[in-house]
Amino acid sequence: MTSAIRYPAAVLLPGTGSDEVFVRAVFGGPMAALGVPLVTPAPTGGGDVAEGFLEELDRLARRHGTLLVGGISYGAHLAAEWAVANPGRCEGLLVALPAWYGEPGKAPAAVAATLTADLVAAEGVEAAVRWAEAGSPPWIAAELRRAWGRHGDGLAAGLREAAARPAPSLAALRSLDVPAGVAGCGDDPVHPAGAARAWAEALPRGRYVETSLAAVGADREALGRAAVLAFLRALGR
């Protein structure tokens, strides 16, 4: 990697039910290697996650002028939504595991979020954590236990918001003419690699690099490195 890239800040958002701790675990090292300051906003509670993050991007853009934006899963959706609406303030896109494009429909991540929200509403966060732990690799189970506990009573509303909100359409992504790095995991059934590849193909300057959940389980930064490598390729480096 190179430290010759000059951006005022990279603002990277977490997925629904996740948090800034995981974003930093994924992107902290790779962004430090680029020499780009990393800003990782914490999620607001309840069903106003999207508006909270979009307002924070507005605030940071007023401070810095332009931003490199992105995120993981739902955070990637929101960052791209903001970038499409603010083309003059976005200098690049860095996203990992986008879960769908356009309307969520029956996308696996949307279905999983809705089912989890139903379980949280009916039986509480702890029951949902135990259910998720039973079907997840240990590292994902540990992340969910930590992050879902932080969301507490607001978890269900946040999950429902994410499950219902459209991601940018492929047509909208085609309008975003900035360097864009997209990372997917070939073995992730919730965030299909095909969705991430479709994002990269639609983005005029998009590039795609694939890793695996198994690799991320061993080293969280594997996902961040994949996204940054795709971004560097988009820059022609």
Side-chain angles (χ1 to χ4, degrees):
M1 295 184 184
T2 176
S3 61
I5 298 174
R6 301 196 182 280
Y7 287 96
V11 184
L12 303 182
L13 309 177
T16 183
S18 186
D19 60 13
E20 77 284 1
V21 176
F22 183 64
V23 176
R24 284 201 166 272
V26 168
F27 281 104
M31 297 312 295
L34 289 183
V36 178
L38 176 60
V39 180
T40 56
T44 56
D48 60 352
V49 173
E51 293 311 313
F53 279 141
L54 295 173
E55 289 172 4
E56 180 67 2
L57 288 170
D58 284 339
R59 185 185 69 80
L60 290 167
R62 287 193 296 270
R63 174 190 297 177
H64 296 288
T66 58
L67 300 171
L68 170 62
V69 300
I72 302 171
S73 186
Y74 186 49
H77 297 190
L78 294 176
E81 177 183 329
W82 183 88
V84 168
N86 296 272
R89 298 197 287 176
C90 175
E91 291 195 40
L93 191 65
L94 192 64
V95 299
L97 306 179
W100 61 81
Y101 48 84
E103 294 292 335
K106 297 297 183 182
V111 173
T114 299
L115 291 174
T116 303
D118 290 345
L119 182 57
V120 170
E123 301 187 32
V125 173
E126 180 60 29
V129 168
R130 290 196 302 269
W131 170 75
E133 286 177 331
S136 303
W139 74 269
I140 294 179
E143 287 290 343
L144 295 178
R145 174 165 288 280
R146 178 187 52 72
W148 286 6
R150 287 186 66 190
H151 284 265
D153 293 340
L155 178 61
L159 291 167
R160 292 193 197 283
E161 175 197 90
R165 191 179 185 95
S169 67
L170 295 183
L173 293 174
R174 291 188 189 104
S175 74
L176 191 56
D177 190 16
V178 296
V182 183
C185 286
D187 57 351
D188 188 342
V190 178
H191 306 86
R197 285 193 293 268
W199 274 53
E201 290 168 3
L203 289 157
R205 298 166 67 186
R207 295 294 185 273
Y208 175 72
V209 171
E210 189 166 297
T211 183
S212 68
L213 289 180
V216 180
D219 177 7
R220 305 292 182 270
E221 291 185 355
L223 183 59
R225 287 194 298 272
V228 168
L229 177 57
F231 184 73
L232 291 175
R233 290 176 177 173
L235 288 172
R237 294 175 181 268

